[in-house]
Amino acid sequence: MKKSVKWFLVQRFLVILFWIYLGGEAVNYIYRVALFPAVLAFLEAQQIEITGNSNMLGWLFHVLFYFLTGFLPTAIREWAQRQIGQAMGSSMSIQVTSPLYSGVWGVVLRIMIIGGIIELLIIRLLPWLVGAFCYSRIVSKQFNELLAREEAQKRARDQRRNLMLSDIAHDIKTPVTTICGYSRALSEGVVEEKDRQSYLDAIYAKAMRMDELLTLLFEYVKLESEGYTMHKEPGDLAELVRETAALLYADFEDRGMELVLEIPEEKVIFEMDRLQLGRAVNNLLTNAIRYGMTGGRVLVRLQEYELTVADEGEPVDPAFAAHIFEPFARGDKARSSKGGSGLGLGIAKKIVEMHGGKLLLKQRFGEGYTKAFQIRLPG
């Protein structure tokens, strides 16, 4: 159960207890002022003498048990009444001197008194009964709403999964079609010798594209699987960012990009799964290479436990920005020209969240950078 739901139920429980207390005090006042004196007057009129002290509930239960045991044989009745008095720790004594409490009429009177005492007990316990009923309704309503939200989230996940499968089929179909067409042309010998290498290069490129897509998909599914846990241990976050950026340095050079590193020399110790967090940083840098401006700058800045990867590429469409971390979320332009899978950012976000952090998109970052992705980890 979510903490917010637990806190809501605790709050409502305390409110119910407060109203039970007020209701109990109101019932006590009504008992003292009206009901209790009326009951005593009725019992005295019936020549029933009650001596001794007890609290209100104890008094009612003692009188109730006394008249209930009145239906038992004499010896058993006297023993039971002594046991009840000892068990309740009461010093009360009840004497019935009225001749009316014999025969059939006596049975009727006893039943009437038992019924009246039960009604008084129900009235005395009414605040608790009402409070329990109200709280059960609150809990039931809250759980129904929680189940409805979970069901809606499940339907949304299923819908996203179906869309993801559709996108996977779309992305795999194109390179498979190219590979099948080019390989058949090569096998049938319809390709001129001078074009054979370009066909082979195209087949290789499409095969690598499929391998990249399936690898990303495997990582995403693994992170989404129940029971998957990170293998965390203390490590140097600054060194991890430097090493990841160094591995992609050739890719930055290929696009003529200037890599601006602002990473502290001192260690930034953080408990992390080095492999997975390194993959998240790699995905952000790869995203900057793919969608940054050719010949532009890419900023990699680590300030304590906040990592920023900013570029000078085109800003993200605001309508698309809200869905940018969803799997296979890509704008039409990105789909047609950049060839991204849309999984990289979703994987990065999942990894960061599993480390207790957040991954955010910040538009109009400043310093000449149009957008930035920021990882904020707990310090």
Side-chain angles (χ1 to χ4, degrees):
M1 189 187 300
K2 295 181 179 179
K3 289 184 179 180
S4 59
V5 176
K6 290 182 180 180
W7 178 237
F8 173 84
L9 294 178
V10 169
Q11 286 180 317
R12 294 300 181 271
F13 180 73
L14 295 176
V15 170
I16 292 291
L17 281 183
F18 175 72
W19 284 109
I20 288 175
Y21 169 77
L22 292 182
E25 290 299 311
V27 170
N28 282 337
Y29 177 78
I30 294 173
Y31 261 80
R32 289 193 300 268
V33 173
L35 293 178
F36 209 64
V39 171
L40 289 176
F42 171 79
L43 294 176
E44 288 177 2
Q46 298 297 317
Q47 299 181 23
I48 300 173
E49 182 181 357
I50 301 177
T51 58
N53 297 318
S54 181
N55 60 59
M56 194 174 297
L57 279 177
W59 191 92
L60 289 171
F61 276 113
H62 201 129
V63 174
L64 175 63
F65 291 146
Y66 178 86
F67 284 100
L68 283 173
T69 56
F71 295 105
L72 301 173
T74 304
I76 299 176
R77 179 177 67 242
E78 292 176 353
W79 176 85
Q81 289 175 352
R82 285 197 304 272
Q83 295 300 316
I84 291 169
Q86 292 175 3
M88 298 185 67
S90 173
S91 61
M92 287 177 55
S93 174
I94 302 176
Q95 296 293 329
V96 180
T97 59
S98 173
L100 296 176
Y101 282 84
S102 61
V104 176
W105 180 242
V107 173
V108 173
L109 286 176
R110 287 178 183 275
I111 292 174
M112 291 175 59
I113 291 175
I114 289 170
I117 295 298
I118 291 176
E119 289 181 2
L120 290 174
L121 279 170
I122 292 174
I123 294 173
R124 181 63 186 84
L125 297 174
L126 191 60
W128 291 95
L129 296 174
V130 172
F133 174 76
C134 292
Y135 188 69
S136 67
R137 291 292 301 273
I138 291 172
V139 171
S140 176
K141 180 181 178 182
Q142 190 66 23
F143 270 95
N144 288 337
E145 291 178 356
L146 184 62
L147 290 175
R149 286 198 298 269
E150 289 181 350
E151 184 63 26
Q153 291 172 357
K154 182 179 181 297
R155 287 196 298 269
R157 286 196 301 269
D158 290 341
Q159 184 179 13
R160 289 196 301 268
R161 186 179 296 111
N162 292 335
L163 290 173
M164 186 174 72
L165 292 174
S166 175
D167 281 330
I168 291 171
H170 177 277
D171 281 19
I172 291 180
K173 183 178 180 180
T174 301
V176 166
T177 301
T178 301
I179 291 173
C180 290
Y182 282 17
S183 59
R184 182 174 182 179
L186 288 171
S187 66
E188 293 179 353
V190 299
V191 181
E192 295 182 9
E193 187 64 31
K194 62 184 180 63
D195 295 326
R196 287 178 60 85
Q197 188 59 46
S198 62
Y199 273 61
L200 291 172
D201 290 342
I203 291 173
Y204 177 77
K206 296 300 181 181
M208 292 303 296
R209 168 68 183 144
M210 290 175 59
D211 180 72
E212 176 192 4
L213 177 62
L214 292 174
T215 299
L216 287 171
L217 180 62
F218 171 76
E219 290 297 330
Y220 186 83
V221 172
K222 182 175 69 174
L223 293 172
E224 287 285 323
S225 301
E226 292 185 9
Y228 177 79
T229 56
M230 296 283 183
H231 302 286
K232 299 178 183 178
E233 57 184 17
D236 184 2
L237 185 59
E239 183 61 25
L240 175 65
V241 175
R242 269 193 295 268
E243 289 180 0
T244 307
L247 291 173
L248 294 172
Y249 189 76
D251 297 301
F252 284 105
E253 283 194 327
D254 288 342
R255 293 208 60 201
M257 291 178 165
E258 178 187 357
L259 185 59
V260 182
L261 296 178
E262 296 183 8
I263 304 173
E265 293 295 330
E266 61 273 12
K267 293 183 177 181
V268 180
I269 303 300
F270 181 70
E271 188 170 348
M272 59 184 170
D273 185 317
R274 185 178 179 84
L275 176 63
Q276 294 296 344
L277 194 57
R279 179 172 285 112
V281 177
N282 180 283
N283 289 354
L284 294 186
L285 294 175
T286 301
N287 185 78
I289 294 170
R290 181 170 287 149
Y291 298 106
M293 184 177 67
T294 301
R297 297 177 302 159
V298 173
L299 171 67
V300 180
R301 174 184 293 163
L302 180 63
Q303 293 177 313
E304 294 185 346
Y305 296 97
E306 180 179 279
L307 173 65
T308 300
V309 178
D311 64 68
E312 298 177 329
E314 294 183 10
V316 179
D317 185 345
F320 172 65
H323 307 284
I324 196 169
F325 295 112
E326 295 177 5
F328 282 92
R330 290 166 293 173
D332 292 337
K333 185 174 181 180
R335 179 186 290 276
S336 62
S337 63
K338 303 295 184 180
S341 67
L343 278 171
L345 291 178
I347 291 173
K349 180 177 174 62
K350 186 67 178 177
I351 292 172
V352 171
E353 289 177 346
M354 293 180 77
H355 281 83
K358 295 180 180 180
L359 176 57
L360 307 171
L361 168 64
K362 188 171 183 180
Q363 303 271 47
R364 297 183 296 277
F365 179 70
E367 304 177 35
Y369 300 100
T370 53
K371 63 181 180 296
F373 291 92
Q374 292 183 322
I375 295 177
R376 295 177 182 176
L377 298 170

PDB file of all heavy atoms in Angstrom, residues 171-200:
ATOM      1  N   ASP A 171       9.933  -1.218 -36.521  1.00  0.00           N
ATOM      2  CA  ASP A 171      11.364  -0.941 -36.606  1.00  0.00           C
ATOM      3  C   ASP A 171      12.172  -2.131 -37.098  1.00  0.00           C
ATOM      4  O   ASP A 171      13.226  -1.971 -37.713  1.00  0.00           O
ATOM      5  CB  ASP A 171      11.891  -0.494 -35.233  1.00  0.00           C
ATOM      6  CG  ASP A 171      11.568   0.966 -34.960  1.00  0.00           C
ATOM      7  OD1 ASP A 171      10.661   1.502 -35.630  1.00  0.00           O
ATOM      8  OD2 ASP A 171      12.217   1.556 -34.087  1.00  0.00           O
ATOM      9  N   ILE A 172      11.687  -3.342 -36.799  1.00  0.00           N
ATOM     10  CA  ILE A 172      12.407  -4.526 -37.242  1.00  0.00           C
ATOM     11  C   ILE A 172      12.085  -4.848 -38.696  1.00  0.00           C
ATOM     12  O   ILE A 172      12.944  -5.333 -39.449  1.00  0.00           O
ATOM     13  CB  ILE A 172      12.096  -5.726 -36.325  1.00  0.00           C
ATOM     14  CG1 ILE A 172      12.715  -5.498 -34.942  1.00  0.00           C
ATOM     15  CG2 ILE A 172      12.610  -7.027 -36.925  1.00  0.00           C
ATOM     16  CD1 ILE A 172      12.461  -6.632 -33.969  1.00  0.00           C
ATOM     17  N   LYS A 173      10.867  -4.561 -39.106  1.00  0.00           N
ATOM     18  CA  LYS A 173      10.435  -4.918 -40.451  1.00  0.00           C
ATOM     19  C   LYS A 173      11.280  -4.235 -41.526  1.00  0.00           C
ATOM     20  O   LYS A 173      11.669  -4.862 -42.521  1.00  0.00           O
ATOM     21  CB  LYS A 173       8.969  -4.551 -40.641  1.00  0.00           C
ATOM     22  CG  LYS A 173       8.431  -4.956 -42.013  1.00  0.00           C
ATOM     23  CD  LYS A 173       6.965  -4.614 -42.156  1.00  0.00           C
ATOM     24  CE  LYS A 173       6.442  -5.011 -43.524  1.00  0.00           C
ATOM     25  NZ  LYS A 173       5.013  -4.683 -43.684  1.00  0.00           N
ATOM     26  N   THR A 174      11.610  -2.939 -41.315  1.00  0.00           N
ATOM     27  CA  THR A 174      12.359  -2.198 -42.334  1.00  0.00           C
ATOM     28  C   THR A 174      13.737  -2.792 -42.588  1.00  0.00           C
ATOM     29  O   THR A 174      14.084  -3.094 -43.742  1.00  0.00           O
ATOM     30  CB  THR A 174      12.465  -0.716 -41.940  1.00  0.00           C
ATOM     31  OG1 THR A 174      11.150  -0.185 -41.807  1.00  0.00           O
ATOM     32  CG2 THR A 174      13.226   0.072 -42.979  1.00  0.00           C
ATOM     33  N   PRO A 175      14.579  -3.006 -41.551  1.00  0.00           N
ATOM     34  CA  PRO A 175      15.894  -3.610 -41.841  1.00  0.00           C
ATOM     35  C   PRO A 175      15.788  -5.046 -42.336  1.00  0.00           C
ATOM     36  O   PRO A 175      16.595  -5.480 -43.165  1.00  0.00           O
ATOM     37  CB  PRO A 175      16.630  -3.540 -40.495  1.00  0.00           C
ATOM     38  CG  PRO A 175      15.577  -3.352 -39.472  1.00  0.00           C
ATOM     39  CD  PRO A 175      14.479  -2.587 -40.131  1.00  0.00           C
ATOM     40  N   VAL A 176      14.790  -5.804 -41.842  1.00  0.00           N
ATOM     41  CA  VAL A 176      14.630  -7.179 -42.320  1.00  0.00           C
ATOM     42  C   VAL A 176      14.293  -7.186 -43.805  1.00  0.00           C
ATOM     43  O   VAL A 176      14.827  -8.000 -44.584  1.00  0.00           O
ATOM     44  CB  VAL A 176      13.534  -7.907 -41.506  1.00  0.00           C
ATOM     45  CG1 VAL A 176      13.117  -9.203 -42.207  1.00  0.00           C
ATOM     46  CG2 VAL A 176      14.024  -8.217 -40.104  1.00  0.00           C
ATOM     47  N   THR A 177      13.406  -6.276 -44.222  1.00  0.00           N
ATOM     48  CA  THR A 177      13.053  -6.184 -45.638  1.00  0.00           C
ATOM     49  C   THR A 177      14.282  -5.853 -46.483  1.00  0.00           C
ATOM     50  O   THR A 177      14.515  -6.444 -47.556  1.00  0.00           O
ATOM     51  CB  THR A 177      11.977  -5.107 -45.847  1.00  0.00           C
ATOM     52  OG1 THR A 177      10.818  -5.444 -45.067  1.00  0.00           O
ATOM     53  CG2 THR A 177      11.584  -5.006 -47.311  1.00  0.00           C
ATOM     54  N   THR A 178      15.092  -4.912 -45.998  1.00  0.00           N
ATOM     55  CA  THR A 178      16.306  -4.546 -46.729  1.00  0.00           C
ATOM     56  C   THR A 178      17.275  -5.722 -46.821  1.00  0.00           C
ATOM     57  O   THR A 178      17.837  -6.009 -47.891  1.00  0.00           O
ATOM     58  CB  THR A 178      16.989  -3.353 -46.033  1.00  0.00           C
ATOM     59  OG1 THR A 178      16.083  -2.262 -45.987  1.00  0.00           O
ATOM     60  CG2 THR A 178      18.249  -2.935 -46.785  1.00  0.00           C
ATOM     61  N   ILE A 179      17.479  -6.406 -45.682  1.00  0.00           N
ATOM     62  CA  ILE A 179      18.403  -7.547 -45.662  1.00  0.00           C
ATOM     63  C   ILE A 179      17.924  -8.637 -46.614  1.00  0.00           C
ATOM     64  O   ILE A 179      18.713  -9.205 -47.386  1.00  0.00           O
ATOM     65  CB  ILE A 179      18.538  -8.090 -44.221  1.00  0.00           C
ATOM     66  CG1 ILE A 179      19.286  -7.077 -43.344  1.00  0.00           C
ATOM     67  CG2 ILE A 179      19.261  -9.430 -44.208  1.00  0.00           C
ATOM     68  CD1 ILE A 179      19.323  -7.446 -41.876  1.00  0.00           C
ATOM     69  N   CYS A 180      16.606  -8.930 -46.562  1.00  0.00           N
ATOM     70  CA  CYS A 180      16.074  -9.983 -47.442  1.00  0.00           C
ATOM     71  C   CYS A 180      16.232  -9.604 -48.917  1.00  0.00           C
ATOM     72  O   CYS A 180      16.656 -10.430 -49.745  1.00  0.00           O
ATOM     73  CB  CYS A 180      14.601 -10.226 -47.114  1.00  0.00           C
ATOM     74  SG  CYS A 180      14.313 -11.014 -45.515  1.00  0.00           S
ATOM     75  N   GLY A 181      15.895  -8.354 -49.230  1.00  0.00           N
ATOM     76  CA  GLY A 181      15.985  -7.920 -50.624  1.00  0.00           C
ATOM     77  C   GLY A 181      17.410  -7.911 -51.141  1.00  0.00           C
ATOM     78  O   GLY A 181      17.697  -8.430 -52.238  1.00  0.00           O
ATOM     79  N   TYR A 182      18.339  -7.343 -50.372  1.00  0.00           N
ATOM     80  CA  TYR A 182      19.733  -7.246 -50.800  1.00  0.00           C
ATOM     81  C   TYR A 182      20.389  -8.619 -50.872  1.00  0.00           C
ATOM     82  O   TYR A 182      21.159  -8.911 -51.806  1.00  0.00           O
ATOM     83  CB  TYR A 182      20.515  -6.339 -49.861  1.00  0.00           C
ATOM     84  CG  TYR A 182      20.279  -4.852 -50.103  1.00  0.00           C
ATOM     85  CD1 TYR A 182      19.182  -4.400 -50.832  1.00  0.00           C
ATOM     86  CD2 TYR A 182      21.175  -3.903 -49.618  1.00  0.00           C
ATOM     87  CE1 TYR A 182      18.966  -3.054 -51.045  1.00  0.00           C
ATOM     88  CE2 TYR A 182      20.975  -2.547 -49.830  1.00  0.00           C
ATOM     89  CZ  TYR A 182      19.864  -2.127 -50.540  1.00  0.00           C
ATOM     90  OH  TYR A 182      19.646  -0.801 -50.762  1.00  0.00           O
ATOM     91  N   SER A 183      20.113  -9.486 -49.870  1.00  0.00           N
ATOM     92  CA  SER A 183      20.745 -10.810 -49.867  1.00  0.00           C
ATOM     93  C   SER A 183      20.226 -11.659 -51.029  1.00  0.00           C
ATOM     94  O   SER A 183      20.980 -12.438 -51.637  1.00  0.00           O
ATOM     95  CB  SER A 183      20.488 -11.523 -48.525  1.00  0.00           C
ATOM     96  OG  SER A 183      19.096 -11.663 -48.298  1.00  0.00           O
ATOM     97  N   ARG A 184      18.939 -11.520 -51.356  1.00  0.00           N
ATOM     98  CA  ARG A 184      18.405 -12.268 -52.499  1.00  0.00           C
ATOM     99  C   ARG A 184      19.032 -11.789 -53.810  1.00  0.00           C
ATOM    100  O   ARG A 184      19.369 -12.603 -54.684  1.00  0.00           O
ATOM    101  CB  ARG A 184      16.893 -12.105 -52.555  1.00  0.00           C
ATOM    102  CG  ARG A 184      16.246 -12.904 -53.694  1.00  0.00           C
ATOM    103  CD  ARG A 184      14.760 -12.843 -53.626  1.00  0.00           C
ATOM    104  NE  ARG A 184      14.160 -13.638 -54.694  1.00  0.00           N
ATOM    105  CZ  ARG A 184      12.849 -13.779 -54.867  1.00  0.00           C
ATOM    106  NH1 ARG A 184      12.004 -13.171 -54.031  1.00  0.00           N
ATOM    107  NH2 ARG A 184      12.392 -14.514 -55.864  1.00  0.00           N
ATOM    108  N   ALA A 185      19.180 -10.451 -53.908  1.00  0.00           N
ATOM    109  CA  ALA A 185      19.810  -9.913 -55.124  1.00  0.00           C
ATOM    110  C   ALA A 185      21.231 -10.433 -55.274  1.00  0.00           C
ATOM    111  O   ALA A 185      21.683 -10.775 -56.371  1.00  0.00           O
ATOM    112  CB  ALA A 185      19.787  -8.388 -55.066  1.00  0.00           C
ATOM    113  N   LEU A 186      21.939 -10.510 -54.142  1.00  0.00           N
ATOM    114  CA  LEU A 186      23.310 -11.022 -54.188  1.00  0.00           C
ATOM    115  C   LEU A 186      23.332 -12.506 -54.538  1.00  0.00           C
ATOM    116  O   LEU A 186      24.188 -12.972 -55.322  1.00  0.00           O
ATOM    117  CB  LEU A 186      23.997 -10.787 -52.839  1.00  0.00           C
ATOM    118  CG  LEU A 186      24.359  -9.336 -52.504  1.00  0.00           C
ATOM    119  CD1 LEU A 186      24.816  -9.219 -51.052  1.00  0.00           C
ATOM    120  CD2 LEU A 186      25.471  -8.825 -53.436  1.00  0.00           C
ATOM    121  N   SER A 187      22.415 -13.256 -53.944  1.00  0.00           N
ATOM    122  CA  SER A 187      22.419 -14.702 -54.197  1.00  0.00           C
ATOM    123  C   SER A 187      22.029 -15.043 -55.636  1.00  0.00           C
ATOM    124  O   SER A 187      22.472 -16.053 -56.194  1.00  0.00           O
ATOM    125  CB  SER A 187      21.459 -15.401 -53.238  1.00  0.00           C
ATOM    126  OG  SER A 187      20.118 -15.014 -53.496  1.00  0.00           O
ATOM    127  N   GLU A 188      21.184 -14.210 -56.235  1.00  0.00           N
ATOM    128  CA  GLU A 188      20.759 -14.457 -57.613  1.00  0.00           C
ATOM    129  C   GLU A 188      21.722 -13.869 -58.634  1.00  0.00           C
ATOM    130  O   GLU A 188      21.512 -14.020 -59.848  1.00  0.00           O
ATOM    131  CB  GLU A 188      19.351 -13.904 -57.825  1.00  0.00           C
ATOM    132  CG  GLU A 188      18.286 -14.663 -57.025  1.00  0.00           C
ATOM    133  CD  GLU A 188      16.908 -14.100 -57.218  1.00  0.00           C
ATOM    134  OE1 GLU A 188      16.779 -13.024 -57.866  1.00  0.00           O
ATOM    135  OE2 GLU A 188      15.922 -14.707 -56.718  1.00  0.00           O
ATOM    136  N   GLY A 189      22.751 -13.171 -58.165  1.00  0.00           N
ATOM    137  CA  GLY A 189      23.772 -12.644 -59.055  1.00  0.00           C
ATOM    138  C   GLY A 189      23.323 -11.494 -59.924  1.00  0.00           C
ATOM    139  O   GLY A 189      23.883 -11.297 -61.016  1.00  0.00           O
ATOM    140  N   VAL A 190      22.311 -10.750 -59.479  1.00  0.00           N
ATOM    141  CA  VAL A 190      21.824  -9.630 -60.284  1.00  0.00           C
ATOM    142  C   VAL A 190      22.529  -8.323 -59.928  1.00  0.00           C
ATOM    143  O   VAL A 190      22.248  -7.280 -60.528  1.00  0.00           O
ATOM    144  CB  VAL A 190      20.293  -9.464 -60.114  1.00  0.00           C
ATOM    145  CG1 VAL A 190      19.557 -10.704 -60.587  1.00  0.00           C
ATOM    146  CG2 VAL A 190      19.950  -9.160 -58.647  1.00  0.00           C
ATOM    147  N   VAL A 191      23.434  -8.391 -58.957  1.00  0.00           N
ATOM    148  CA  VAL A 191      24.162  -7.188 -58.536  1.00  0.00           C
ATOM    149  C   VAL A 191      25.499  -7.144 -59.256  1.00  0.00           C
ATOM    150  O   VAL A 191      26.244  -8.137 -59.274  1.00  0.00           O
ATOM    151  CB  VAL A 191      24.377  -7.181 -57.000  1.00  0.00           C
ATOM    152  CG1 VAL A 191      25.116  -5.925 -56.580  1.00  0.00           C
ATOM    153  CG2 VAL A 191      23.034  -7.307 -56.268  1.00  0.00           C
ATOM    154  N   GLU A 192      25.810  -6.027 -59.800  1.00  0.00           N
ATOM    155  CA  GLU A 192      27.103  -5.873 -60.479  1.00  0.00           C
ATOM    156  C   GLU A 192      28.220  -5.921 -59.440  1.00  0.00           C
ATOM    157  O   GLU A 192      28.037  -5.567 -58.275  1.00  0.00           O
ATOM    158  CB  GLU A 192      27.138  -4.553 -61.243  1.00  0.00           C
ATOM    159  CG  GLU A 192      26.126  -4.482 -62.395  1.00  0.00           C
ATOM    160  CD  GLU A 192      26.234  -3.184 -63.159  1.00  0.00           C
ATOM    161  OE1 GLU A 192      27.206  -2.429 -62.895  1.00  0.00           O
ATOM    162  OE2 GLU A 192      25.362  -2.923 -64.009  1.00  0.00           O
ATOM    163  N   GLU A 193      29.380  -6.350 -59.902  1.00  0.00           N
ATOM    164  CA  GLU A 193      30.524  -6.529 -58.999  1.00  0.00           C
ATOM    165  C   GLU A 193      30.873  -5.256 -58.264  1.00  0.00           C
ATOM    166  O   GLU A 193      31.206  -5.284 -57.074  1.00  0.00           O
ATOM    167  CB  GLU A 193      31.728  -7.028 -59.806  1.00  0.00           C
ATOM    168  CG  GLU A 193      32.923  -7.415 -58.945  1.00  0.00           C
ATOM    169  CD  GLU A 193      32.598  -8.587 -58.039  1.00  0.00           C
ATOM    170  OE1 GLU A 193      31.770  -9.440 -58.416  1.00  0.00           O
ATOM    171  OE2 GLU A 193      33.156  -8.621 -56.908  1.00  0.00           O
ATOM    172  N   LYS A 194      30.787  -4.114 -58.966  1.00  0.00           N
ATOM    173  CA  LYS A 194      31.170  -2.847 -58.328  1.00  0.00           C
ATOM    174  C   LYS A 194      30.188  -2.428 -57.215  1.00  0.00           C
ATOM    175  O   LYS A 194      30.520  -1.608 -56.352  1.00  0.00           O
ATOM    176  CB  LYS A 194      31.248  -1.728 -59.371  1.00  0.00           C
ATOM    177  CG  LYS A 194      29.940  -1.415 -60.076  1.00  0.00           C
ATOM    178  CD  LYS A 194      30.132  -0.366 -61.153  1.00  0.00           C
ATOM    179  CE  LYS A 194      28.816  -0.033 -61.875  1.00  0.00           C
ATOM    180  NZ  LYS A 194      27.840   0.551 -60.948  1.00  0.00           N
ATOM    181  N   ASP A 195      28.966  -2.998 -57.222  1.00  0.00           N
ATOM    182  CA  ASP A 195      27.960  -2.639 -56.212  1.00  0.00           C
ATOM    183  C   ASP A 195      27.861  -3.666 -55.089  1.00  0.00           C
ATOM    184  O   ASP A 195      27.117  -3.457 -54.118  1.00  0.00           O
ATOM    185  CB  ASP A 195      26.584  -2.502 -56.870  1.00  0.00           C
ATOM    186  CG  ASP A 195      26.537  -1.351 -57.858  1.00  0.00           C
ATOM    187  OD1 ASP A 195      27.217  -0.331 -57.598  1.00  0.00           O
ATOM    188  OD2 ASP A 195      25.815  -1.465 -58.869  1.00  0.00           O
ATOM    189  N   ARG A 196      28.574  -4.781 -55.214  1.00  0.00           N
ATOM    190  CA  ARG A 196      28.445  -5.833 -54.209  1.00  0.00           C
ATOM    191  C   ARG A 196      28.828  -5.350 -52.803  1.00  0.00           C
ATOM    192  O   ARG A 196      28.147  -5.643 -51.829  1.00  0.00           O
ATOM    193  CB  ARG A 196      29.319  -7.040 -54.609  1.00  0.00           C
ATOM    194  CG  ARG A 196      28.755  -7.845 -55.772  1.00  0.00           C
ATOM    195  CD  ARG A 196      29.723  -8.988 -56.138  1.00  0.00           C
ATOM    196  NE  ARG A 196      29.926  -9.897 -55.012  1.00  0.00           N
ATOM    197  CZ  ARG A 196      29.116 -10.920 -54.724  1.00  0.00           C
ATOM    198  NH1 ARG A 196      28.051 -11.150 -55.475  1.00  0.00           N
ATOM    199  NH2 ARG A 196      29.368 -11.710 -53.712  1.00  0.00           N
ATOM    200  N   GLN A 197      29.911  -4.606 -52.707  1.00  0.00           N
ATOM    201  CA  GLN A 197      30.368  -4.160 -51.380  1.00  0.00           C
ATOM    202  C   GLN A 197      29.353  -3.233 -50.723  1.00  0.00           C
ATOM    203  O   GLN A 197      29.110  -3.310 -49.516  1.00  0.00           O
ATOM    204  CB  GLN A 197      31.725  -3.460 -51.508  1.00  0.00           C
ATOM    205  CG  GLN A 197      32.360  -3.135 -50.149  1.00  0.00           C
ATOM    206  CD  GLN A 197      32.582  -4.390 -49.306  1.00  0.00           C
ATOM    207  OE1 GLN A 197      33.081  -5.406 -49.814  1.00  0.00           O
ATOM    208  NE2 GLN A 197      32.207  -4.321 -48.034  1.00  0.00           N
ATOM    209  N   SER A 198      28.748  -2.343 -51.523  1.00  0.00           N
ATOM    210  CA  SER A 198      27.757  -1.430 -50.937  1.00  0.00           C
ATOM    211  C   SER A 198      26.534  -2.203 -50.445  1.00  0.00           C
ATOM    212  O   SER A 198      25.942  -1.867 -49.411  1.00  0.00           O
ATOM    213  CB  SER A 198      27.334  -0.380 -51.970  1.00  0.00           C
ATOM    214  OG  SER A 198      26.705  -0.986 -53.094  1.00  0.00           O
ATOM    215  N   TYR A 199      26.150  -3.269 -51.163  1.00  0.00           N
ATOM    216  CA  TYR A 199      25.044  -4.106 -50.722  1.00  0.00           C
ATOM    217  C   TYR A 199      25.396  -4.815 -49.414  1.00  0.00           C
ATOM    218  O   TYR A 199      24.576  -4.903 -48.483  1.00  0.00           O
ATOM    219  CB  TYR A 199      24.699  -5.134 -51.807  1.00  0.00           C
ATOM    220  CG  TYR A 199      23.710  -4.633 -52.836  1.00  0.00           C
ATOM    221  CD1 TYR A 199      24.013  -3.532 -53.632  1.00  0.00           C
ATOM    222  CD2 TYR A 199      22.483  -5.246 -53.010  1.00  0.00           C
ATOM    223  CE1 TYR A 199      23.114  -3.071 -54.586  1.00  0.00           C
ATOM    224  CE2 TYR A 199      21.567  -4.791 -53.959  1.00  0.00           C
ATOM    225  CZ  TYR A 199      21.900  -3.690 -54.746  1.00  0.00           C
ATOM    226  OH  TYR A 199      21.001  -3.235 -55.678  1.00  0.00           O
ATOM    227  N   LEU A 200      26.625  -5.335 -49.363  1.00  0.00           N
ATOM    228  CA  LEU A 200      27.062  -6.013 -48.141  1.00  0.00           C
ATOM    229  C   LEU A 200      27.132  -5.046 -46.969  1.00  0.00           C
ATOM    230  O   LEU A 200      26.757  -5.394 -45.832  1.00  0.00           O
ATOM    231  CB  LEU A 200      28.427  -6.673 -48.374  1.00  0.00           C
ATOM    232  CG  LEU A 200      28.440  -7.871 -49.321  1.00  0.00           C
ATOM    233  CD1 LEU A 200      29.866  -8.288 -49.620  1.00  0.00           C
ATOM    234  CD2 LEU A 200      27.651  -9.037 -48.717  1.00  0.00           C
TER     235      LEU A 200
END
